[in-house]
Amino acid sequence: MLAIRLPAEVEIRLEALAKATGRTKTFYAREAILEHLDDLEDLYLAEQRLMDIRAGKTQTVSLEEVMKRYGLED
């Protein structure tokens, strides 16, 4: 179960979309979350990795080295 507060403008738009399509506001809220959750997780992971690199906790590997490791050289 999830309860969220939306800005009035978004609530109005969501209500209009639901009414125009015969779907529920919950349907569209769920669709929006599912559509963007992967991107949000990827962004969070990338930000964490960048912070780790800047803090010296993680080493980077060049594309050339990755290609060598996995036998993908030309």
Side-chain angles (χ1 to χ4, degrees):
M1 183 75 160
L2 176 68
I4 57 172
R5 289 199 171 118
L6 299 171
E9 180 183 318
V10 173
E11 181 73 29
I12 289 167
R13 290 173 60 196
L14 188 58
E15 182 69 42
L17 179 61
K19 195 176 289 187
T21 61
R23 300 231 185 215
T24 65
K25 293 188 299 183
T26 299
F27 171 84
Y28 287 111
R30 182 176 43 247
E31 288 298 304
I33 290 169
L34 293 174
E35 179 70 25
H36 295 286
L37 189 56
D38 285 343
D39 292 339
L40 292 171
E41 289 170 335
D42 289 346
L43 176 62
Y44 174 77
L45 179 60
E47 288 173 342
Q48 289 299 307
R49 293 297 175 258
L50 181 59
M51 288 180 3
D52 288 347
I53 290 166
R54 288 181 175 165
K57 296 178 183 176
T58 299
Q59 299 276 328
T60 59
V61 179
S62 70
L63 176 59
E64 184 178 288
E65 179 59 33
V66 171
M67 299 288 280
K68 260 191 226 180
R69 265 189 215 176
Y70 295 101
L72 301 172
E73 299 173 278
D74 287 333

Coordinates of all heavy atoms in Angstrom, one line a residue:
M1 N 0.8 -1.2 0.0 CA 0.0 0.0 0.0 C 0.9 1.2 0.0 O 1.9 1.3 0.7 CB -0.9 0.0 1.2 CG -1.8 1.1 1.3 SD -3.2 0.8 0.2 CE -4.4 1.8 0.8
L2 N 0.5 2.2 -0.8 CA 1.3 3.4 -0.9 C 0.3 4.6 -1.0 O -0.7 4.6 -1.7 CB 2.1 3.4 -2.2 CG 2.9 4.6 -2.6 CD1 4.1 4.8 -1.6 CD2 3.5 4.4 -4.0
A3 N 0.6 5.6 -0.2 CA -0.2 6.8 -0.3 C 0.8 8.0 -0.6 O 1.8 8.1 0.0 CB -0.9 7.1 1.1
I4 N 0.4 8.8 -1.6 CA 1.3 9.9 -2.0 C 0.5 11.1 -2.1 O -0.7 11.1 -2.5 CB 2.0 9.6 -3.3 CG1 1.1 9.3 -4.5 CG2 3.0 8.5 -3.2 CD1 1.7 9.2 -5.8
R5 N 1.1 12.2 -1.8 CA 0.5 13.6 -2.0 C 1.1 14.1 -3.3 O 2.3 14.2 -3.5 CB 0.8 14.5 -0.9 CG 0.0 14.0 0.3 CD -0.1 15.1 1.4 NE -1.0 14.7 2.4 CZ -0.7 14.6 3.7 NH1 0.5 14.8 4.1 NH2 -1.6 14.2 4.5
L6 N 0.3 14.6 -4.2 CA 0.7 15.2 -5.4 C 0.4 16.6 -5.5 O -0.6 17.1 -4.9 CB 0.0 14.5 -6.6 CG 0.3 13.0 -6.8 CD1 -0.6 12.4 -7.9 CD2 1.7 12.7 -7.1
P7 N 1.1 17.4 -6.2 CA 0.8 18.8 -6.4 C -0.6 18.9 -7.0 O -1.0 18.0 -7.8 CB 1.8 19.4 -7.3 CG 3.0 18.5 -7.1 CD 2.4 17.1 -6.8
A8 N -1.4 19.9 -6.7 CA -2.7 20.0 -7.2 C -2.8 19.9 -8.8 O -3.7 19.3 -9.3 CB -3.4 21.4 -6.8
E9 N -1.8 20.6 -9.4 CA -1.8 20.5 -10.9 C -1.7 19.1 -11.4 O -2.3 18.7 -12.4 CB -0.7 21.4 -11.4 CG -0.6 21.4 -12.9 CD 0.6 22.2 -13.4 OE1 0.9 23.3 -12.9 OE2 1.3 21.8 -14.4
V10 N -0.8 18.3 -10.8 CA -0.6 16.9 -11.2 C -1.8 16.1 -10.9 O -2.3 15.3 -11.7 CB 0.6 16.3 -10.5 CG1 0.8 14.9 -10.8 CG2 1.9 17.1 -10.9
E11 N -2.4 16.4 -9.8 CA -3.7 15.6 -9.4 C -4.8 15.9 -10.4 O -5.5 15.0 -10.9 CB -4.1 16.1 -8.0 CG -5.4 15.4 -7.5 CD -5.1 13.9 -7.1 OE1 -4.0 13.6 -6.7 OE2 -6.1 13.1 -7.2
I12 N -4.9 17.2 -10.9 CA -5.9 17.5 -11.9 C -5.6 16.8 -13.2 O -6.6 16.3 -13.8 CB -5.9 19.1 -12.0 CG1 -6.5 19.7 -10.8 CG2 -6.8 19.5 -13.3 CD1 -6.3 21.2 -10.7
R13 N -4.4 16.8 -13.6 CA -4.0 16.2 -14.9 C -4.3 14.7 -14.8 O -4.8 14.1 -15.8 CB -2.6 16.5 -15.2 CG -2.3 17.9 -15.6 CD -0.8 18.2 -15.7 NE -0.2 17.3 -16.7 CZ 1.1 17.1 -16.9 NH1 1.9 17.7 -16.1 NH2 1.5 16.3 -17.8
L14 N -3.9 14.1 -13.7 CA -4.1 12.7 -13.5 C -5.6 12.3 -13.5 O -6.0 11.3 -14.1 CB -3.5 12.2 -12.2 CG -3.4 10.7 -11.9 CD1 -2.6 10.0 -13.0 CD2 -2.7 10.5 -10.6
E15 N -6.4 13.1 -12.8 CA -7.8 12.9 -12.8 C -8.4 13.0 -14.2 O -9.3 12.2 -14.6 CB -8.5 13.9 -11.9 CG -10.0 13.8 -11.7 CD -10.4 12.5 -11.0 OE1 -9.7 12.2 -9.9 OE2 -11.4 11.9 -11.4
A16 N -8.0 14.0 -14.9 CA -8.5 14.2 -16.3 C -8.1 13.0 -17.2 O -9.0 12.6 -18.0 CB -8.0 15.5 -16.9
L17 N -6.9 12.6 -17.1 CA -6.5 11.4 -17.9 C -7.3 10.2 -17.5 O -7.8 9.4 -18.4 CB -5.0 11.1 -17.7 CG -4.4 10.0 -18.4 CD1 -4.5 10.2 -19.9 CD2 -2.9 9.8 -18.0
A18 N -7.5 9.9 -16.3 CA -8.3 8.8 -15.8 C -9.7 8.8 -16.3 O -10.2 7.9 -16.9 CB -8.2 8.7 -14.3
K19 N -10.3 10.0 -16.2 CA -11.7 10.2 -16.7 C -11.8 10.0 -18.2 O -12.7 9.4 -18.7 CB -12.2 11.6 -16.3 CG -13.7 11.7 -16.4 CD -14.1 13.1 -15.9 CE -13.9 13.1 -14.4 NZ -14.5 14.4 -13.7
A20 N -10.8 10.6 -18.9 CA -10.9 10.5 -20.4 C -10.6 9.1 -20.9 O -11.1 8.7 -22.0 CB -9.8 11.4 -21.0
T21 N -9.9 8.3 -20.2 CA -9.6 6.9 -20.7 C -10.3 5.8 -20.0 O -10.2 4.6 -20.4 CB -8.1 6.6 -20.5 OG1 -7.8 6.7 -19.1 CG2 -7.2 7.6 -21.2
G22 N -11.1 6.1 -18.9 CA -11.8 5.1 -18.2 C -10.9 4.2 -17.3 O -11.3 3.1 -16.9
R23 N -9.7 4.6 -17.1 CA -8.8 3.9 -16.2 C -8.8 4.7 -14.9 O -9.2 5.8 -14.7 CB -7.4 3.9 -16.8 CG -7.3 3.2 -18.1 CD -6.3 2.2 -18.1 NE -6.1 1.6 -19.4 CZ -5.8 0.3 -19.6 NH1 -5.7 -0.5 -18.5 NH2 -5.7 -0.2 -20.8
T24 N -8.1 4.0 -13.9 CA -8.1 4.7 -12.6 C -6.8 5.5 -12.4 O -5.8 5.3 -13.2 CB -8.1 3.6 -11.4 OG1 -6.9 2.8 -11.6 CG2 -9.3 2.7 -11.5
K25 N -6.8 6.4 -11.5 CA -5.6 7.2 -11.2 C -4.5 6.3 -10.7 O -3.3 6.4 -11.0 CB -5.9 8.3 -10.1 CG -6.8 9.4 -10.6 CD -6.9 10.5 -9.7 CE -7.5 10.1 -8.3 NZ -7.7 11.2 -7.4
T26 N -4.9 5.3 -10.0 CA -3.9 4.3 -9.5 C -3.2 3.6 -10.6 O -2.0 3.3 -10.5 CB -4.6 3.2 -8.5 OG1 -5.2 3.9 -7.4 CG2 -3.7 2.2 -8.1
F27 N -4.0 3.2 -11.6 CA -3.4 2.6 -12.8 C -2.3 3.4 -13.4 O -1.1 3.0 -13.6 CB -4.4 2.3 -13.9 CG -3.8 1.8 -15.2 CD1 -3.5 0.5 -15.4 CD2 -3.6 2.8 -16.2 CE1 -3.0 0.1 -16.6 CE2 -3.0 2.3 -17.4 CZ -2.7 1.0 -17.6
Y28 N -2.5 4.7 -13.6 CA -1.5 5.6 -14.2 C -0.4 5.9 -13.2 O 0.8 6.0 -13.6 CB -2.1 6.9 -14.7 CG -3.0 6.6 -15.9 CD1 -4.3 6.7 -15.9 CD2 -2.3 6.2 -17.1 CE1 -5.1 6.4 -17.1 CE2 -3.0 6.0 -18.2 CZ -4.4 6.1 -18.2 OH -5.1 5.8 -19.4
A29 N -0.6 6.0 -11.9 CA 0.5 6.2 -11.0 C 1.4 4.9 -11.0 O 2.6 5.1 -11.0 CB -0.1 6.4 -9.6
R30 N 0.8 3.8 -11.0 CA 1.6 2.5 -11.0 C 2.4 2.4 -12.3 O 3.6 2.1 -12.3 CB 0.6 1.3 -10.9 CG 1.4 0.0 -10.9 CD 0.5 -1.2 -10.6 NE -0.8 -1.2 -11.4 CZ -2.0 -1.1 -10.9 NH1 -2.1 -1.0 -9.6 NH2 -3.1 -1.1 -11.6
E31 N 1.8 2.8 -13.4 CA 2.5 2.8 -14.7 C 3.7 3.7 -14.7 O 4.8 3.4 -15.2 CB 1.5 3.1 -15.9 CG 0.5 2.0 -16.2 CD 1.2 0.7 -16.7 OE1 2.0 0.8 -17.6 OE2 1.0 -0.3 -16.0
A32 N 3.5 4.9 -14.2 CA 4.6 5.9 -14.1 C 5.7 5.4 -13.2 O 6.9 5.5 -13.6 CB 4.0 7.2 -13.6
I33 N 5.4 4.8 -12.1 CA 6.4 4.3 -11.2 C 7.2 3.1 -11.9 O 8.4 3.1 -11.9 CB 5.8 3.8 -9.9 CG1 5.4 5.0 -9.1 CG2 6.8 3.0 -9.1 CD1 4.5 4.7 -7.9
L34 N 6.5 2.2 -12.5 CA 7.1 1.1 -13.1 C 8.0 1.5 -14.3 O 9.1 1.0 -14.5 CB 6.1 0.1 -13.6 CG 5.3 -0.7 -12.5 CD1 4.2 -1.5 -13.1 CD2 6.3 -1.5 -11.7
E35 N 7.5 2.5 -15.0 CA 8.3 3.1 -16.2 C 9.6 3.7 -15.8 O 10.6 3.6 -16.5 CB 7.4 4.1 -16.9 CG 8.1 4.7 -18.1 CD 8.3 3.7 -19.3 OE1 7.5 2.8 -19.4 OE2 9.2 4.0 -20.1
H36 N 9.6 4.3 -14.6 CA 10.8 5.1 -14.2 C 11.7 4.5 -13.1 O 12.8 5.0 -12.9 CB 10.4 6.5 -13.8 CG 9.8 7.3 -15.0 ND1 10.6 7.8 -16.0 CD2 8.5 7.5 -15.4 CE1 9.8 8.3 -16.9 NE2 8.6 8.2 -16.5
L37 N 11.2 3.5 -12.5 CA 11.9 2.9 -11.4 C 13.3 2.4 -11.8 O 14.3 2.6 -11.1 CB 11.1 1.8 -10.7 CG 11.7 1.2 -9.4 CD1 11.9 2.3 -8.4 CD2 10.8 0.1 -8.9
D38 N 13.4 1.7 -12.9 CA 14.8 1.2 -13.4 C 15.7 2.4 -13.6 O 16.9 2.3 -13.2 CB 14.6 0.5 -14.7 CG 14.1 -0.9 -14.5 OD1 14.0 -1.5 -13.4 OD2 13.6 -1.5 -15.6
D39 N 15.2 3.5 -14.2 CA 16.1 4.6 -14.4 C 16.5 5.3 -13.1 O 17.7 5.7 -13.0 CB 15.4 5.7 -15.3 CG 15.1 5.2 -16.7 OD1 15.8 4.3 -17.2 OD2 14.2 5.8 -17.3
L40 N 15.6 5.3 -12.2 CA 16.0 5.9 -10.8 C 17.0 5.1 -10.1 O 18.0 5.6 -9.5 CB 14.7 6.1 -10.0 CG 13.8 7.2 -10.5 CD1 12.4 7.1 -9.7 CD2 14.4 8.5 -10.4
E41 N 16.8 3.7 -10.2 CA 17.8 2.8 -9.6 C 19.2 3.0 -10.3 O 20.2 3.0 -9.6 CB 17.3 1.4 -9.7 CG 16.2 1.1 -8.8 CD 15.5 -0.3 -9.0 OE1 15.6 -0.8 -10.2 OE2 14.9 -0.8 -8.1
D42 N 19.2 3.0 -11.6 CA 20.5 3.2 -12.3 C 21.1 4.5 -11.9 O 22.4 4.5 -11.8 CB 20.2 3.2 -13.8 CG 19.9 1.8 -14.3 OD1 20.1 0.8 -13.6 OD2 19.4 1.7 -15.5
L43 N 20.4 5.6 -11.9 CA 20.9 6.9 -11.5 C 21.5 6.8 -10.1 O 22.7 7.3 -9.9 CB 19.8 8.0 -11.6 CG 20.3 9.3 -11.1 CD1 21.4 9.9 -12.0 CD2 19.1 10.3 -11.1
Y44 N 20.8 6.2 -9.1 CA 21.3 6.1 -7.8 C 22.6 5.3 -7.7 O 23.6 5.7 -7.1 CB 20.3 5.5 -6.9 CG 20.8 5.2 -5.5 CD1 20.9 6.2 -4.6 CD2 21.2 3.9 -5.1 CE1 21.4 6.0 -3.3 CE2 21.7 3.7 -3.8 CZ 21.8 4.7 -2.9 OH 22.3 4.5 -1.7
L45 N 22.7 4.2 -8.4 CA 23.9 3.4 -8.5 C 25.0 4.1 -9.1 O 26.1 4.1 -8.6 CB 23.6 2.1 -9.3 CG 24.8 1.1 -9.4 CD1 25.2 0.7 -8.0 CD2 24.4 -0.1 -10.3
A46 N 24.8 4.9 -10.2 CA 25.9 5.6 -10.8 C 26.4 6.7 -9.9 O 27.6 6.9 -9.8 CB 25.3 6.2 -12.1
E47 N 25.5 7.4 -9.2 CA 25.9 8.4 -8.3 C 26.8 7.8 -7.1 O 27.8 8.4 -6.7 CB 24.7 9.2 -7.7 CG 24.1 10.1 -8.7 CD 22.8 10.7 -8.2 OE1 22.2 10.2 -7.2 OE2 22.3 11.7 -8.8
Q48 N 26.3 6.7 -6.6 CA 27.1 6.0 -5.6 C 28.5 5.6 -6.1 O 29.5 5.8 -5.4 CB 26.4 4.8 -5.1 CG 25.1 5.1 -4.3 CD 25.5 5.9 -3.0 OE1 26.3 5.5 -2.2 NE2 24.8 7.0 -2.9
R49 N 28.6 5.1 -7.3 CA 29.8 4.6 -7.8 C 30.8 5.8 -8.0 O 32.0 5.8 -7.7 CB 29.7 3.9 -9.2 CG 29.0 2.6 -9.1 CD 29.8 1.6 -8.2 NE 29.1 0.4 -8.0 CZ 28.5 0.0 -6.9 NH1 28.5 0.8 -5.9 NH2 27.8 -1.1 -6.8
L50 N 30.2 7.0 -8.5 CA 31.0 8.2 -8.7 C 31.6 8.7 -7.4 O 32.7 9.1 -7.3 CB 30.2 9.3 -9.4 CG 30.9 10.6 -9.7 CD1 32.1 10.4 -10.5 CD2 29.9 11.6 -10.3
M51 N 30.7 8.7 -6.3 CA 31.2 9.1 -5.0 C 32.3 8.2 -4.5 O 33.3 8.6 -4.0 CB 30.0 9.1 -4.0 CG 29.1 10.3 -4.3 SD 27.6 10.5 -3.2 CE 27.7 9.3 -2.0
D52 N 32.2 6.8 -4.8 CA 33.2 5.9 -4.4 C 34.5 6.1 -5.1 O 35.6 6.1 -4.5 CB 32.7 4.4 -4.6 CG 31.6 4.0 -3.6 OD1 31.4 4.7 -2.6 OD2 31.0 3.0 -3.9
I53 N 34.4 6.4 -6.4 CA 35.6 6.7 -7.2 C 36.3 7.9 -6.7 O 37.5 8.0 -6.5 CB 35.2 6.8 -8.7 CG1 34.8 5.5 -9.3 CG2 36.4 7.4 -9.5 CD1 34.2 5.5 -10.6
R54 N 35.5 9.0 -6.5 CA 36.1 10.3 -6.0 C 36.7 10.1 -4.6 O 37.7 10.8 -4.3 CB 35.0 11.4 -6.0 CG 34.7 11.8 -7.4 CD 33.7 12.9 -7.4 NE 33.4 13.4 -8.7 CZ 32.4 14.1 -9.1 NH1 31.5 14.5 -8.2 NH2 32.3 14.6 -10.3
A55 N 36.2 9.2 -3.8 CA 36.7 9.0 -2.4 C 37.8 8.0 -2.4 O 38.4 7.7 -1.4 CB 35.5 8.5 -1.5
G56 N 38.2 7.5 -3.6 CA 39.3 6.5 -3.7 C 38.9 5.1 -3.2 O 39.8 4.3 -3.0
K57 N 37.6 4.8 -3.0 CA 37.2 3.5 -2.6 C 37.1 2.5 -3.7 O 37.0 1.3 -3.5 CB 35.8 3.6 -1.9 CG 35.8 4.5 -0.6 CD 34.4 4.6 -0.1 CE 34.4 5.4 1.2 NZ 33.0 5.6 1.6
T58 N 37.0 3.0 -4.9 CA 36.8 2.2 -6.1 C 37.7 2.6 -7.2 O 38.0 3.8 -7.4 CB 35.3 2.3 -6.6 OG1 34.4 1.9 -5.6 CG2 35.1 1.5 -7.9
Q59 N 38.3 1.6 -7.9 CA 39.2 1.9 -9.0 C 38.4 1.8 -10.3 O 37.4 1.0 -10.4 CB 40.3 0.8 -9.1 CG 41.2 0.8 -7.8 CD 42.3 1.8 -7.9 OE1 42.8 2.1 -9.0 NE2 42.6 2.4 -6.8
T60 N 38.8 2.6 -11.3 CA 38.2 2.5 -12.6 C 39.0 1.5 -13.5 O 40.2 1.3 -13.2 CB 38.1 3.8 -13.3 OG1 39.4 4.4 -13.5 CG2 37.2 4.8 -12.5
V61 N 38.4 1.0 -14.5 CA 39.0 0.2 -15.5 C 38.7 0.7 -16.9 O 37.6 1.0 -17.2 CB 38.5 -1.3 -15.4 CG1 39.2 -2.2 -16.4 CG2 38.7 -1.8 -14.0
S62 N 39.8 0.9 -17.7 CA 39.6 1.4 -19.0 C 38.8 0.4 -19.9 O 38.9 -0.8 -19.7 CB 40.9 1.8 -19.7 OG 41.6 0.6 -20.0
L63 N 38.2 0.9 -21.0 CA 37.5 0.0 -21.9 C 38.6 -0.9 -22.5 O 38.3 -2.1 -22.7 CB 36.8 0.9 -23.0 CG 36.2 0.1 -24.1 CD1 35.1 -0.9 -23.5 CD2 35.6 1.0 -25.1
E64 N 39.7 -0.4 -22.8 CA 40.8 -1.2 -23.4 C 41.1 -2.4 -22.5 O 41.2 -3.6 -23.0 CB 42.1 -0.4 -23.6 CG 43.2 -1.1 -24.3 CD 44.4 -0.2 -24.5 OE1 44.3 0.7 -25.3 OE2 45.4 -0.4 -23.7
E65 N 41.2 -2.2 -21.2 CA 41.5 -3.3 -20.3 C 40.3 -4.3 -20.2 O 40.6 -5.5 -20.2 CB 41.8 -2.7 -18.9 CG 42.0 -3.8 -17.8 CD 43.3 -4.7 -18.1 OE1 44.2 -4.2 -18.7 OE2 43.2 -5.8 -17.7
V66 N 39.1 -3.8 -20.2 CA 38.0 -4.7 -20.2 C 38.0 -5.6 -21.5 O 37.7 -6.8 -21.4 CB 36.7 -3.9 -20.1 CG1 35.4 -4.8 -20.3 CG2 36.6 -3.2 -18.8
M67 N 38.3 -5.0 -22.6 CA 38.3 -5.7 -23.9 C 39.4 -6.8 -23.8 O 39.1 -7.9 -24.3 CB 38.6 -4.7 -25.0 CG 37.5 -3.6 -25.2 SD 36.0 -4.2 -25.9 CE 36.4 -4.3 -27.6
K68 N 40.5 -6.5 -23.3 CA 41.6 -7.4 -23.1 C 41.2 -8.6 -22.2 O 41.4 -9.8 -22.5 CB 42.9 -6.8 -22.5 CG 43.9 -6.4 -23.5 CD 45.2 -6.0 -22.7 CE 45.7 -4.7 -23.3 NZ 46.9 -4.3 -22.6
R69 N 40.6 -8.2 -21.1 CA 40.2 -9.3 -20.1 C 39.3 -10.3 -20.7 O 39.4 -11.5 -20.3 CB 39.5 -8.6 -18.9 CG 40.4 -8.3 -17.8 CD 39.5 -7.8 -16.6 NE 40.2 -6.8 -15.9 CZ 39.8 -6.1 -14.9 NH1 38.5 -6.3 -14.5 NH2 40.5 -5.2 -14.2
Y70 N 38.4 -9.9 -21.5 CA 37.4 -10.7 -22.0 C 37.6 -11.2 -23.4 O 36.7 -11.7 -24.1 CB 36.0 -10.1 -21.8 CG 35.7 -9.9 -20.4 CD1 35.8 -8.7 -19.7 CD2 35.2 -11.0 -19.6 CE1 35.5 -8.5 -18.4 CE2 35.0 -10.9 -18.2 CZ 35.1 -9.6 -17.6 OH 34.9 -9.5 -16.3
G71 N 38.8 -11.0 -23.9 CA 39.2 -11.4 -25.3 C 38.4 -10.8 -26.4 O 38.1 -11.4 -27.4
L72 N 38.1 -9.5 -26.2 CA 37.3 -8.8 -27.2 C 38.1 -7.9 -28.1 O 37.6 -7.0 -28.7 CB 36.1 -8.1 -26.5 CG 35.2 -9.0 -25.7 CD1 34.2 -8.1 -25.0 CD2 34.5 -9.9 -26.6
E73 N 39.4 -8.0 -28.0 CA 40.3 -7.2 -28.8 C 40.1 -7.4 -30.3 O 39.8 -8.5 -30.7 CB 41.8 -7.4 -28.4 CG 42.1 -7.1 -27.0 CD 43.5 -7.6 -26.6 OE1 43.7 -8.8 -26.4 OE2 44.3 -6.7 -26.6
D74 N 40.5 -6.4 -31.1 CA 40.4 -6.5 -32.5 C 41.5 -7.5 -33.0 O 42.5 -7.6 -32.6 CB 40.6 -5.2 -33.2 CG 39.3 -4.3 -33.0 OD1 38.3 -4.9 -32.9 OD2 39.5 -3.1 -33.1

